[in-house]
Each structure stands twice: as structure tokens, then as C-alpha cells.
Amino acid sequence: MRDEANLEPVLRANGIARQVIGHIGDKWSLLVIAALGHGAQRFSRLKTRIEGINQRMLTRTLRALERDGIVERNVYPTSPPTVEYVLTRMGRDLSVAVTGICEWARRNLDEVEASQRLFDERSAKQM
């Protein structure tokens, strides 16, 4: 059994842990971390790899992850400047958990889709 006291910082409404979980728990952050788990990438490559994300949301997500110390932005003195994003040590550590979540989603996709269909069918009958 897990020690519930260890969860207290996360469960507090105004705690920094809750803010960080809010940042890393959204779909875009998880996808950015997963994409960067394979190494440094430029903004345009991330935008191409993460289907459906727009430029504004990718910028916001990268900035939030950079602020939390999960992503590092490296600017190289080329003309025009080359910018790459890479996971920090904390980001690489987090990437292990994110990869696990992504693998879980991949392994359970069929079962989740079947559950959603059954739920939707039951809900439609109740209306």
C-alpha cells in the first residue's frame, strides 16, 4: 500500500506539485515529452510529428516545460539561428513515465474503444 502522506503535496490546491502536474498532464505536454524522448528536435520537426498541434500551442507548451526545467531550448549561432529543444535530466526521467503511459495507451487501445462503444450504446438507450 502506498503512503498517502506522500500524495499530500500533489493534492494541495495551491502547491507547486499540482502546478507541475497540470503542466505535464495535458495531452500536448505528454506528446511533446514523448517526441523529445527520441532526442533533440527543432520546432518545425515537433510541429510536424505531433499531428493537430498548432504553432501557438506548441510554443506555449514548450515554454511551460522549459520554465519547469523539463525542456531546454538551445540556440545555435547560425544564420538564421538554429533552435533545438531537448529534454533535461528531469525531462528524461519523466520521459520514462510518459513512455509507459504511451505504451499503455497503445496496448489497450482496442479495449478502450470497445468500452467507449458499450458506454455510448448504454447511454443512448437510457435517453
Side-chain angles (χ1 to χ4, degrees), residues 11 14 18 23 30 38 44-45 49-50 54 56-57 62 79 85 95-96 118:
L11 299 175
N14 296 327
R18 185 120 164 223
H23 294 161
L30 289 173
H38 299 284
S44 58
R45 177 70 175 136
R49 288 193 70 202
I50 303 170
N54 63 38
R56 181 174 177 259
M57 186 54 66
L62 286 166
S79 184
Y85 296 89
S95 177
V96 173
L118 287 172

Short mmCIF file of all heavy atoms in Angstrom, two decimals, residues 11 14 18 23 30 38 44-45 49-50 54 56-57 62 79 85 95-96 118:
data_model
loop_
_atom_site.label_atom_id
_atom_site.label_comp_id
_atom_site.label_asym_id
_atom_site.label_seq_id
_atom_site.Cartn_x
_atom_site.Cartn_y
_atom_site.Cartn_z
N LEU A 11 -1.90 16.83 -3.84
CA LEU A 11 -3.33 17.03 -3.67
C LEU A 11 -3.70 18.44 -3.21
O LEU A 11 -4.85 18.84 -3.32
CB LEU A 11 -3.89 15.99 -2.69
CG LEU A 11 -3.73 14.52 -3.14
CD1 LEU A 11 -4.20 13.58 -2.05
CD2 LEU A 11 -4.47 14.25 -4.44
N ASN A 14 -3.00 24.68 -3.88
CA ASN A 14 -2.07 25.76 -4.20
C ASN A 14 -0.62 25.32 -4.24
O ASN A 14 0.27 26.16 -4.26
CB ASN A 14 -2.23 26.91 -3.18
CG ASN A 14 -3.60 27.54 -3.27
OD1 ASN A 14 -4.18 27.61 -4.35
ND2 ASN A 14 -4.13 27.97 -2.15
N ARG A 18 1.17 20.45 -7.74
CA ARG A 18 -0.08 20.43 -8.51
C ARG A 18 0.05 21.24 -9.79
O ARG A 18 -0.47 20.86 -10.83
CB ARG A 18 -1.20 20.99 -7.64
CG ARG A 18 -2.55 20.92 -8.27
CD ARG A 18 -3.48 20.08 -7.41
NE ARG A 18 -4.85 20.30 -7.79
CZ ARG A 18 -5.83 20.45 -6.94
NH1 ARG A 18 -5.61 20.42 -5.66
NH2 ARG A 18 -7.05 20.60 -7.36
N HIS A 23 0.87 21.07 -15.77
CA HIS A 23 1.64 21.32 -16.98
C HIS A 23 1.95 20.02 -17.72
O HIS A 23 1.79 19.95 -18.94
CB HIS A 23 2.97 22.01 -16.67
CG HIS A 23 2.80 23.39 -16.13
ND1 HIS A 23 3.80 24.02 -15.44
CD2 HIS A 23 1.78 24.27 -16.17
CE1 HIS A 23 3.39 25.22 -15.07
NE2 HIS A 23 2.16 25.39 -15.51
N LEU A 30 2.43 15.86 -22.79
CA LEU A 30 2.78 14.44 -22.87
C LEU A 30 3.32 14.10 -24.26
O LEU A 30 4.31 13.38 -24.38
CB LEU A 30 1.57 13.57 -22.54
CG LEU A 30 1.13 13.56 -21.09
CD1 LEU A 30 -0.18 12.79 -20.94
CD2 LEU A 30 2.20 12.97 -20.19
N HIS A 38 13.13 10.99 -28.01
CA HIS A 38 14.00 10.40 -29.05
C HIS A 38 15.16 11.32 -29.42
O HIS A 38 15.85 11.07 -30.40
CB HIS A 38 13.17 10.06 -30.28
CG HIS A 38 12.10 9.06 -30.00
ND1 HIS A 38 12.37 7.72 -29.83
CD2 HIS A 38 10.78 9.21 -29.80
CE1 HIS A 38 11.25 7.09 -29.56
NE2 HIS A 38 10.27 7.97 -29.53
N SER A 44 10.00 23.06 -35.95
CA SER A 44 9.24 22.62 -37.13
C SER A 44 9.08 21.11 -37.16
O SER A 44 8.04 20.60 -37.58
CB SER A 44 9.89 23.12 -38.42
OG SER A 44 11.22 22.65 -38.51
N ARG A 45 10.09 20.39 -36.72
CA ARG A 45 10.01 18.93 -36.68
C ARG A 45 8.98 18.48 -35.64
O ARG A 45 8.20 17.57 -35.89
CB ARG A 45 11.39 18.33 -36.37
CG ARG A 45 11.41 16.83 -36.23
CD ARG A 45 11.17 16.14 -37.56
NE ARG A 45 11.32 14.71 -37.38
CZ ARG A 45 10.49 13.82 -37.90
NH1 ARG A 45 9.50 14.21 -38.68
NH2 ARG A 45 10.65 12.55 -37.68
N ARG A 49 5.65 16.31 -36.35
CA ARG A 49 5.47 14.99 -35.70
C ARG A 49 4.21 14.91 -34.86
O ARG A 49 3.59 13.85 -34.76
CB ARG A 49 6.67 14.66 -34.83
CG ARG A 49 7.90 14.32 -35.64
CD ARG A 49 8.97 13.70 -34.81
NE ARG A 49 8.56 12.36 -34.41
CZ ARG A 49 9.07 11.72 -33.37
NH1 ARG A 49 9.97 12.29 -32.62
NH2 ARG A 49 8.68 10.51 -33.06
N ILE A 50 3.84 16.01 -34.21
CA ILE A 50 2.69 15.99 -33.30
C ILE A 50 1.48 16.50 -34.07
O ILE A 50 1.20 17.70 -34.11
CB ILE A 50 2.97 16.85 -32.04
CG1 ILE A 50 4.23 16.34 -31.35
CG2 ILE A 50 1.77 16.82 -31.10
CD1 ILE A 50 4.73 17.25 -30.24
N ASN A 54 -1.05 23.26 -33.05
CA ASN A 54 -0.76 24.46 -33.85
C ASN A 54 0.47 25.17 -33.28
O ASN A 54 0.96 24.82 -32.20
CB ASN A 54 -1.98 25.38 -33.94
CG ASN A 54 -2.42 25.92 -32.59
OD1 ASN A 54 -1.61 26.24 -31.73
ND2 ASN A 54 -3.73 26.03 -32.41
N ARG A 56 0.96 28.13 -32.01
CA ARG A 56 0.76 28.82 -30.73
C ARG A 56 0.78 27.84 -29.56
O ARG A 56 1.42 28.10 -28.54
CB ARG A 56 -0.57 29.59 -30.77
CG ARG A 56 -0.86 30.35 -29.50
CD ARG A 56 -2.14 31.19 -29.69
NE ARG A 56 -2.48 31.87 -28.48
CZ ARG A 56 -3.43 31.46 -27.63
NH1 ARG A 56 -4.12 30.37 -27.90
NH2 ARG A 56 -3.69 32.13 -26.54
N MET A 57 0.08 26.73 -29.70
CA MET A 57 0.01 25.76 -28.60
C MET A 57 1.37 25.09 -28.39
O MET A 57 1.77 24.85 -27.24
CB MET A 57 -1.05 24.70 -28.89
CG MET A 57 -1.26 23.75 -27.73
SD MET A 57 -1.61 24.53 -26.13
CE MET A 57 -3.18 25.28 -26.45
N LEU A 62 6.05 24.33 -25.00
CA LEU A 62 7.50 24.30 -24.85
C LEU A 62 7.96 25.30 -23.79
O LEU A 62 8.83 24.99 -22.97
CB LEU A 62 8.18 24.59 -26.19
CG LEU A 62 8.12 23.44 -27.20
CD1 LEU A 62 8.51 23.94 -28.58
CD2 LEU A 62 9.00 22.27 -26.77
N SER A 79 23.05 31.45 -39.28
CA SER A 79 22.25 32.48 -39.91
C SER A 79 21.24 31.81 -40.85
O SER A 79 21.65 31.26 -41.88
CB SER A 79 23.15 33.42 -40.70
OG SER A 79 22.39 34.46 -41.24
N TYR A 85 15.19 21.90 -29.26
CA TYR A 85 14.64 21.60 -27.94
C TYR A 85 15.08 20.20 -27.55
O TYR A 85 15.09 19.29 -28.37
CB TYR A 85 13.11 21.71 -27.96
CG TYR A 85 12.65 23.11 -28.26
CD1 TYR A 85 12.46 23.54 -29.57
CD2 TYR A 85 12.44 24.02 -27.24
CE1 TYR A 85 12.06 24.84 -29.85
CE2 TYR A 85 12.05 25.32 -27.50
CZ TYR A 85 11.86 25.72 -28.80
OH TYR A 85 11.48 27.00 -29.07
N SER A 95 10.34 11.26 -19.02
CA SER A 95 10.09 10.58 -20.28
C SER A 95 9.86 9.08 -20.10
O SER A 95 9.08 8.47 -20.83
CB SER A 95 11.24 10.83 -21.25
OG SER A 95 11.05 10.13 -22.45
N VAL A 96 10.50 8.51 -19.11
CA VAL A 96 10.30 7.07 -18.82
C VAL A 96 8.84 6.82 -18.47
O VAL A 96 8.21 5.89 -18.98
CB VAL A 96 11.24 6.60 -17.69
CG1 VAL A 96 10.94 5.18 -17.28
CG2 VAL A 96 12.70 6.75 -18.11
N LEU A 118 -19.58 0.47 -25.89
CA LEU A 118 -20.58 -0.08 -24.98
C LEU A 118 -21.20 1.02 -24.12
O LEU A 118 -22.42 1.05 -23.93
CB LEU A 118 -19.96 -1.15 -24.09
CG LEU A 118 -19.65 -2.48 -24.76
CD1 LEU A 118 -18.86 -3.38 -23.81
CD2 LEU A 118 -20.94 -3.16 -25.20
#
